[in-house]
Amino acid sequence: MSAIEVIEPATAEVMESIPRAGAEEVDAAVAAAKAAFPAWRAVDPADRAAIMRSLADELERRSEDLSRLEARNAGKPIGDARGEIGMVVETYRYYSAAPERLLGQTIPVAGGVDMTFREPLGVVGLIVPWNFPLVIASWKCAPALAAGNTIVLKPAELTPLTALELEKIALDAGLPEGVLNVVAGPGSVCGKRLVEHPDVAKIAFTGSTEVGRGIAEGAAGTIKRVTLELGGKSANVVFADADLAAAAAAAPSAVFGNSGQDCCARSRILVEREAMDDFMTELEKAVRAMKVGDPLDEDTAMGPLISADQLETVGSFVPDDAPVAFRGEAPEGPGYWFPPTVLAPMTNDDRAAREEIFGPVACVIPFSGEEEAIRLANDTIYGLSGSVWTENGARAIRVVRALDTGVLSVNSNSSVRVSTPFGGFKQSGVGRELGPDALDHYTDVKNVYFAT
Ligand code: NAD
């Protein structure tokens, strides 16, 4: 095993060095998960629920340490990291209610009784990105465990630290050995092996659309079940009849939150033409007020980008002749800093409006009327999230129904809740996480006819 040098993005210095897993370690983890599966699926539902609650309690007890570790490793503001670890705890608590509620059906048939069972799949491979490391892992681990599966979790190489803590915490909380295994290594080796492994029944993946496409192909070889949570280029549609001050005040965090490294980033701000001037005046105030700096400073609203590579990629979307309307502040190096940047006016055909930037760059695109707003918002290969701002309730309903996207909010930019389904249309993915829907993706339905 060689080493992974884990970098702290705010300083560009090595934070920790950990062993780099390869295909052999993946095989060992899958074997451990396979061996643990029969006993874990057989744990009485109430006992499995109790173990999951104990895991939530243990994570809560360790939440400040985990928040600081995540803030440093992912370069995110400490307040955001605390919110994420809070959601991790909440997610295990929410799904701890599931083992006792995985209900089947009885179906009227001739000559007997027909009933269905929701059976666990077996060993599930969970592959997660670096932008929301532990929280996205929890969206997968919690329903998978609740349904009686065992797990091999592969965190991103850039941010493996909280997942490695989770593996230890799970044992402390009473999860049997082998139920939750973590392998920290490269996607091209460890992720690929998980996808192709004959003993892995399902892959739940969050990451880029490009890698997701390869995973769907790789999983076809063994007909694995696949959930894909992929990229986005979401529209924040602001009509002239909206509360413009509220829409403008909320827009920066919806695209610059997590330094724009958010699959739900509303990176295309569509503004009705007659409201452009007023909206831009308010937006500029809000962007300039964002404090960019040390993730561990309690007042910080935005930290650095994750890596030098990401800094270079994001910079390529703002060439010297880009129409920069205004920018916020950013510290000088060391660290991977990029200021929140607003490009305007843009068209939906510009590269920055078409590709997922995954950095703090917003495009403001003017439109005229409802029809054009819908056409522009839908003119993308993605369909993950989005917002509609208007004081006209009927219009809000018309527009959200017309948008080809999985997660929408009206007069708000919030996308994700533990108790509601999350996932994308079009090339933003397949399947749903969170809420009641996630359990469908970690079970198969078995139908049994019993002749009487
Ligand atoms: P990525 O696709 O490069 O990597 C994601 C994970 O896949 C990592 O763990 C990586 O090691 C692994 N991986 C890479 N190559 C692989 C391969 N060939 N086989 C198997 N696994 C492989 O994505 P990223 O750069 O870590 O994250 C950013 C992307 O994730 C963005 O596109 C973003 O939109 C997306 N994302 C989506 C959601 C969502 O819920 N829809 C949430 C967060 C991030």
Short mmCIF file of all heavy atoms in Angstrom, two decimals, residues 127-132 136 139 154-157 185-188 191-192 195 205-209 211 215 229-232 262-263 356 358 384 422 428 433, ligand 1:
data_model
loop_
_atom_site.label_atom_id
_atom_site.label_comp_id
_atom_site.label_asym_id
_atom_site.label_seq_id
_atom_site.Cartn_x
_atom_site.Cartn_y
_atom_site.Cartn_z
N ILE A 127 -20.06 4.66 -3.26
CA ILE A 127 -18.94 5.47 -3.75
C ILE A 127 -19.34 6.94 -3.65
O ILE A 127 -20.35 7.35 -4.23
CB ILE A 127 -18.60 5.09 -5.21
CG1 ILE A 127 -18.28 3.59 -5.30
CG2 ILE A 127 -17.45 5.93 -5.73
CD1 ILE A 127 -18.02 3.09 -6.73
N VAL A 128 -18.58 7.72 -2.90
CA VAL A 128 -19.01 9.10 -2.61
C VAL A 128 -17.93 10.13 -3.00
O VAL A 128 -16.76 9.80 -3.10
CB VAL A 128 -19.41 9.26 -1.12
CG1 VAL A 128 -20.59 8.37 -0.80
CG2 VAL A 128 -18.26 8.98 -0.18
N PRO A 129 -18.36 11.38 -3.23
CA PRO A 129 -17.44 12.43 -3.67
C PRO A 129 -16.84 13.21 -2.49
O PRO A 129 -17.12 12.91 -1.34
CB PRO A 129 -18.35 13.32 -4.51
CG PRO A 129 -19.66 13.25 -3.80
CD PRO A 129 -19.75 11.88 -3.18
N TRP A 130 -16.09 14.26 -2.83
CA TRP A 130 -15.36 15.00 -1.80
C TRP A 130 -16.11 16.24 -1.32
O TRP A 130 -15.66 16.90 -0.40
CB TRP A 130 -13.98 15.42 -2.32
CG TRP A 130 -13.99 15.97 -3.73
CD1 TRP A 130 -13.64 15.30 -4.86
CD2 TRP A 130 -14.40 17.28 -4.16
NE1 TRP A 130 -13.80 16.10 -5.97
CE2 TRP A 130 -14.27 17.32 -5.58
CE3 TRP A 130 -14.86 18.42 -3.51
CZ2 TRP A 130 -14.57 18.46 -6.34
CZ3 TRP A 130 -15.18 19.54 -4.26
CH2 TRP A 130 -15.03 19.56 -5.64
N ASN A 131 -17.22 16.60 -1.93
CA ASN A 131 -17.80 17.91 -1.59
C ASN A 131 -18.62 17.90 -0.29
O ASN A 131 -18.61 18.86 0.46
CB ASN A 131 -18.59 18.49 -2.76
CG ASN A 131 -19.69 17.58 -3.25
OD1 ASN A 131 -19.72 16.40 -2.95
ND2 ASN A 131 -20.60 18.14 -4.01
N PHE A 132 -19.35 16.79 -0.05
CA PHE A 132 -20.08 16.64 1.22
C PHE A 132 -19.79 15.23 1.75
O PHE A 132 -20.67 14.37 1.73
CB PHE A 132 -21.59 16.83 1.01
CG PHE A 132 -21.97 18.19 0.50
CD1 PHE A 132 -22.31 18.39 -0.83
CD2 PHE A 132 -21.99 19.29 1.36
CE1 PHE A 132 -22.66 19.65 -1.31
CE2 PHE A 132 -22.34 20.55 0.87
CZ PHE A 132 -22.67 20.73 -0.45
N ILE A 136 -23.11 12.75 2.54
CA ILE A 136 -23.57 11.95 1.39
C ILE A 136 -23.39 10.45 1.69
O ILE A 136 -24.22 9.63 1.31
CB ILE A 136 -22.87 12.39 0.10
CG1 ILE A 136 -23.44 13.75 -0.33
CG2 ILE A 136 -23.05 11.37 -1.03
CD1 ILE A 136 -22.87 14.32 -1.62
N TRP A 139 -26.43 9.30 3.60
CA TRP A 139 -27.65 9.13 2.80
C TRP A 139 -27.72 7.72 2.23
O TRP A 139 -28.80 7.23 1.89
CB TRP A 139 -27.70 10.12 1.63
CG TRP A 139 -27.67 11.57 2.01
CD1 TRP A 139 -27.73 12.11 3.27
CD2 TRP A 139 -27.59 12.67 1.11
NE1 TRP A 139 -27.67 13.47 3.20
CE2 TRP A 139 -27.58 13.84 1.88
CE3 TRP A 139 -27.50 12.77 -0.27
CZ2 TRP A 139 -27.51 15.11 1.31
CZ3 TRP A 139 -27.43 14.04 -0.84
CH2 TRP A 139 -27.43 15.19 -0.05
N LYS A 154 -16.59 3.59 -0.22
CA LYS A 154 -15.35 4.17 -0.75
C LYS A 154 -15.45 5.69 -0.79
O LYS A 154 -16.14 6.26 -1.63
CB LYS A 154 -15.04 3.64 -2.15
CG LYS A 154 -13.57 3.91 -2.49
CD LYS A 154 -13.28 4.05 -3.96
CE LYS A 154 -13.55 5.42 -4.53
NZ LYS A 154 -12.75 6.52 -3.98
N PRO A 155 -14.77 6.37 0.15
CA PRO A 155 -14.79 7.84 0.10
C PRO A 155 -13.88 8.34 -1.02
O PRO A 155 -13.09 7.58 -1.58
CB PRO A 155 -14.21 8.22 1.47
CG PRO A 155 -13.35 7.07 1.87
CD PRO A 155 -13.96 5.83 1.25
N ALA A 156 -13.99 9.63 -1.34
CA ALA A 156 -13.10 10.24 -2.32
C ALA A 156 -11.69 10.30 -1.74
O ALA A 156 -11.51 10.50 -0.53
CB ALA A 156 -13.60 11.63 -2.68
N GLU A 157 -10.70 10.17 -2.61
CA GLU A 157 -9.32 10.20 -2.14
C GLU A 157 -8.96 11.52 -1.45
O GLU A 157 -8.12 11.56 -0.56
CB GLU A 157 -8.38 10.01 -3.33
CG GLU A 157 -7.84 8.60 -3.44
CD GLU A 157 -6.65 8.55 -4.38
OE1 GLU A 157 -6.82 8.95 -5.56
OE2 GLU A 157 -5.58 8.14 -3.96
N GLY A 185 -9.18 4.69 -1.33
CA GLY A 185 -8.23 4.52 -2.43
C GLY A 185 -8.78 5.16 -3.69
O GLY A 185 -9.89 5.70 -3.69
N PRO A 186 -8.03 5.08 -4.77
CA PRO A 186 -8.44 5.76 -6.01
C PRO A 186 -9.70 5.16 -6.63
O PRO A 186 -9.90 3.94 -6.60
CB PRO A 186 -7.25 5.55 -6.95
CG PRO A 186 -6.26 4.73 -6.22
CD PRO A 186 -6.77 4.36 -4.88
N GLY A 187 -10.51 6.02 -7.22
CA GLY A 187 -11.72 5.56 -7.89
C GLY A 187 -11.42 4.61 -9.03
O GLY A 187 -12.11 3.61 -9.24
N SER A 188 -10.35 4.93 -9.78
CA SER A 188 -10.03 4.12 -10.96
C SER A 188 -9.61 2.71 -10.58
O SER A 188 -9.62 1.82 -11.44
CB SER A 188 -8.93 4.81 -11.76
OG SER A 188 -7.82 5.03 -10.91
N GLY A 191 -12.83 1.98 -6.77
CA GLY A 191 -14.21 2.16 -7.21
C GLY A 191 -14.53 1.17 -8.33
O GLY A 191 -15.56 0.50 -8.32
N LYS A 192 -13.61 1.08 -9.27
CA LYS A 192 -13.81 0.19 -10.42
C LYS A 192 -13.97 -1.26 -9.95
O LYS A 192 -14.84 -1.99 -10.42
CB LYS A 192 -12.60 0.35 -11.36
CG LYS A 192 -12.71 -0.38 -12.67
CD LYS A 192 -11.61 0.13 -13.61
CE LYS A 192 -11.68 -0.52 -14.98
NZ LYS A 192 -11.36 -1.92 -15.02
N VAL A 195 -17.35 -1.85 -8.54
CA VAL A 195 -18.39 -1.86 -9.58
C VAL A 195 -18.41 -3.21 -10.30
O VAL A 195 -19.46 -3.72 -10.67
CB VAL A 195 -18.14 -0.71 -10.58
CG1 VAL A 195 -19.04 -0.83 -11.81
CG2 VAL A 195 -18.36 0.65 -9.90
N PHE A 205 -23.84 5.52 -6.15
CA PHE A 205 -22.74 6.42 -6.51
C PHE A 205 -23.20 7.87 -6.48
O PHE A 205 -24.27 8.19 -6.99
CB PHE A 205 -22.26 6.06 -7.93
CG PHE A 205 -21.30 7.07 -8.52
CD1 PHE A 205 -19.95 7.06 -8.18
CD2 PHE A 205 -21.74 8.03 -9.44
CE1 PHE A 205 -19.07 7.99 -8.74
CE2 PHE A 205 -20.86 8.95 -9.99
CZ PHE A 205 -19.52 8.93 -9.64
N THR A 206 -22.39 8.73 -5.92
CA THR A 206 -22.57 10.17 -6.10
C THR A 206 -21.27 10.72 -6.66
O THR A 206 -20.20 10.46 -6.11
CB THR A 206 -22.92 10.88 -4.78
OG1 THR A 206 -24.13 10.35 -4.28
CG2 THR A 206 -23.07 12.38 -4.98
N GLY A 207 -21.38 11.47 -7.74
CA GLY A 207 -20.18 12.05 -8.33
C GLY A 207 -20.52 12.67 -9.67
O GLY A 207 -21.67 13.03 -9.93
N SER A 208 -19.53 12.73 -10.54
CA SER A 208 -19.74 13.43 -11.81
C SER A 208 -20.53 12.56 -12.79
O SER A 208 -20.52 11.33 -12.70
CB SER A 208 -18.38 13.77 -12.42
OG SER A 208 -17.63 12.59 -12.60
N THR A 209 -21.18 13.21 -13.72
CA THR A 209 -21.95 12.48 -14.74
C THR A 209 -21.03 11.61 -15.57
O THR A 209 -21.38 10.47 -15.92
CB THR A 209 -22.73 13.50 -15.60
OG1 THR A 209 -23.70 14.12 -14.77
CG2 THR A 209 -23.44 12.83 -16.78
N VAL A 211 -18.14 10.05 -14.70
CA VAL A 211 -17.79 8.80 -14.00
C VAL A 211 -19.03 7.94 -13.82
O VAL A 211 -18.98 6.71 -13.96
CB VAL A 211 -17.10 9.11 -12.64
CG1 VAL A 211 -16.89 7.84 -11.84
CG2 VAL A 211 -15.76 9.80 -12.88
N ILE A 215 -19.78 3.96 -14.59
CA ILE A 215 -20.26 3.03 -13.57
C ILE A 215 -21.48 2.26 -14.08
O ILE A 215 -21.59 1.05 -13.88
CB ILE A 215 -20.54 3.81 -12.27
CG1 ILE A 215 -19.19 4.13 -11.64
CG2 ILE A 215 -21.44 3.02 -11.31
CD1 ILE A 215 -19.21 4.88 -10.37
N GLU A 229 -26.29 9.59 -8.40
CA GLU A 229 -26.56 11.01 -8.09
C GLU A 229 -25.45 11.80 -8.75
O GLU A 229 -24.30 11.75 -8.29
CB GLU A 229 -26.56 11.24 -6.58
CG GLU A 229 -27.66 10.51 -5.82
CD GLU A 229 -29.05 11.07 -6.08
OE1 GLU A 229 -29.17 12.10 -6.78
OE2 GLU A 229 -30.02 10.46 -5.59
N LEU A 230 -25.76 12.53 -9.82
CA LEU A 230 -24.69 13.08 -10.66
C LEU A 230 -24.68 14.61 -10.65
O LEU A 230 -25.10 15.23 -9.69
CB LEU A 230 -24.85 12.50 -12.07
CG LEU A 230 -24.96 10.97 -12.10
CD1 LEU A 230 -25.23 10.46 -13.51
CD2 LEU A 230 -23.72 10.30 -11.53
N GLY A 231 -24.19 15.17 -11.72
CA GLY A 231 -23.97 16.62 -11.76
C GLY A 231 -25.24 17.43 -11.95
O GLY A 231 -26.34 16.88 -12.11
N GLY A 232 -25.08 18.74 -11.94
CA GLY A 232 -26.22 19.63 -12.12
C GLY A 232 -25.81 20.97 -12.72
O GLY A 232 -24.62 21.31 -12.76
N ASP A 262 -21.20 22.22 -5.27
CA ASP A 262 -22.46 21.66 -4.79
C ASP A 262 -23.25 21.24 -6.03
O ASP A 262 -23.47 22.06 -6.93
CB ASP A 262 -23.21 22.75 -4.00
CG ASP A 262 -24.53 22.26 -3.44
OD1 ASP A 262 -25.02 21.20 -3.88
OD2 ASP A 262 -25.09 22.96 -2.57
N CYS A 263 -23.66 19.98 -6.05
CA CYS A 263 -24.40 19.50 -7.23
C CYS A 263 -25.70 20.27 -7.41
O CYS A 263 -26.22 20.35 -8.51
CB CYS A 263 -24.68 18.02 -7.09
SG CYS A 263 -25.40 17.61 -5.52
N GLU A 356 -21.07 22.22 -15.89
CA GLU A 356 -21.04 22.32 -14.43
C GLU A 356 -19.66 22.84 -14.03
O GLU A 356 -18.65 22.18 -14.27
CB GLU A 356 -21.28 20.94 -13.82
CG GLU A 356 -21.37 21.00 -12.31
CD GLU A 356 -21.58 19.64 -11.67
OE1 GLU A 356 -20.90 18.67 -12.08
OE2 GLU A 356 -22.41 19.54 -10.75
N PHE A 358 -18.67 23.82 -10.84
CA PHE A 358 -18.29 23.32 -9.51
C PHE A 358 -17.31 24.27 -8.83
O PHE A 358 -16.27 23.87 -8.30
CB PHE A 358 -17.71 21.91 -9.61
CG PHE A 358 -18.40 20.94 -8.68
CD1 PHE A 358 -19.78 20.83 -8.67
CD2 PHE A 358 -17.67 20.17 -7.78
CE1 PHE A 358 -20.42 19.97 -7.81
CE2 PHE A 358 -18.31 19.29 -6.91
CZ PHE A 358 -19.69 19.20 -6.93
N LEU A 384 -31.20 18.44 -11.88
CA LEU A 384 -31.14 18.05 -10.47
C LEU A 384 -32.04 18.90 -9.59
O LEU A 384 -32.99 18.41 -9.00
CB LEU A 384 -29.69 18.09 -9.97
CG LEU A 384 -29.49 17.53 -8.56
CD1 LEU A 384 -30.06 16.12 -8.43
CD2 LEU A 384 -28.03 17.54 -8.16
N PHE A 422 -34.66 12.89 -2.82
CA PHE A 422 -33.66 13.73 -3.48
C PHE A 422 -33.05 12.96 -4.64
O PHE A 422 -32.63 11.81 -4.47
CB PHE A 422 -32.57 14.12 -2.49
CG PHE A 422 -31.44 14.88 -3.11
CD1 PHE A 422 -31.59 16.22 -3.46
CD2 PHE A 422 -30.22 14.27 -3.39
CE1 PHE A 422 -30.56 16.92 -4.07
CE2 PHE A 422 -29.19 14.96 -4.00
CZ PHE A 422 -29.36 16.29 -4.33
N SER A 428 -28.74 13.99 -14.65
CA SER A 428 -28.38 14.20 -13.24
C SER A 428 -28.54 12.94 -12.42
O SER A 428 -28.21 12.95 -11.22
CB SER A 428 -29.21 15.34 -12.63
OG SER A 428 -28.75 16.58 -13.12
N GLU A 433 -32.53 9.31 -3.26
CA GLU A 433 -32.01 9.10 -1.92
C GLU A 433 -32.91 9.83 -0.94
O GLU A 433 -33.74 10.65 -1.32
CB GLU A 433 -30.57 9.64 -1.84
CG GLU A 433 -29.68 8.94 -2.85
CD GLU A 433 -28.20 9.02 -2.54
OE1 GLU A 433 -27.66 10.14 -2.55
OE2 GLU A 433 -27.59 7.96 -2.28
P1 NAD B 1 -16.01 12.02 -9.32
O1 NAD B 1 -17.04 11.45 -10.21
O2 NAD B 1 -14.69 12.35 -9.88
O3 NAD B 1 -15.74 11.02 -8.11
C1 NAD B 1 -16.74 10.55 -7.26
C2 NAD B 1 -16.30 9.26 -6.63
O4 NAD B 1 -16.14 8.29 -7.64
C3 NAD B 1 -14.95 9.33 -5.90
O5 NAD B 1 -14.99 8.52 -4.75
C4 NAD B 1 -14.01 8.75 -6.93
O6 NAD B 1 -12.86 8.18 -6.35
C5 NAD B 1 -14.87 7.67 -7.56
N1 NAD B 1 -14.45 7.27 -8.90
C6 NAD B 1 -13.71 7.97 -9.80
N2 NAD B 1 -13.49 7.23 -10.91
C7 NAD B 1 -14.13 6.05 -10.71
C8 NAD B 1 -14.27 4.87 -11.51
N3 NAD B 1 -13.75 4.77 -12.73
N4 NAD B 1 -15.00 3.85 -11.02
C9 NAD B 1 -15.56 3.94 -9.80
N5 NAD B 1 -15.44 5.02 -8.99
C10 NAD B 1 -14.73 6.06 -9.45
O7 NAD B 1 -16.72 13.25 -8.65
P2 NAD B 1 -16.09 14.30 -7.63
O8 NAD B 1 -15.17 15.17 -8.41
O9 NAD B 1 -15.58 13.61 -6.41
O10 NAD B 1 -17.40 15.10 -7.19
C11 NAD B 1 -17.90 16.12 -7.95
C12 NAD B 1 -19.08 15.66 -8.78
O11 NAD B 1 -20.05 15.03 -7.96
C13 NAD B 1 -19.83 16.81 -9.44
O12 NAD B 1 -20.14 16.50 -10.79
C14 NAD B 1 -21.11 16.91 -8.64
O13 NAD B 1 -22.19 17.48 -9.30
C15 NAD B 1 -21.35 15.53 -8.25
N6 NAD B 1 -22.20 15.45 -7.06
C16 NAD B 1 -23.50 15.04 -7.20
C17 NAD B 1 -24.34 15.00 -6.10
C18 NAD B 1 -25.77 14.54 -6.22
O14 NAD B 1 -26.34 14.14 -5.21
N7 NAD B 1 -26.36 14.55 -7.38
C19 NAD B 1 -23.86 15.38 -4.86
C20 NAD B 1 -22.55 15.79 -4.75
C21 NAD B 1 -21.72 15.81 -5.87
#
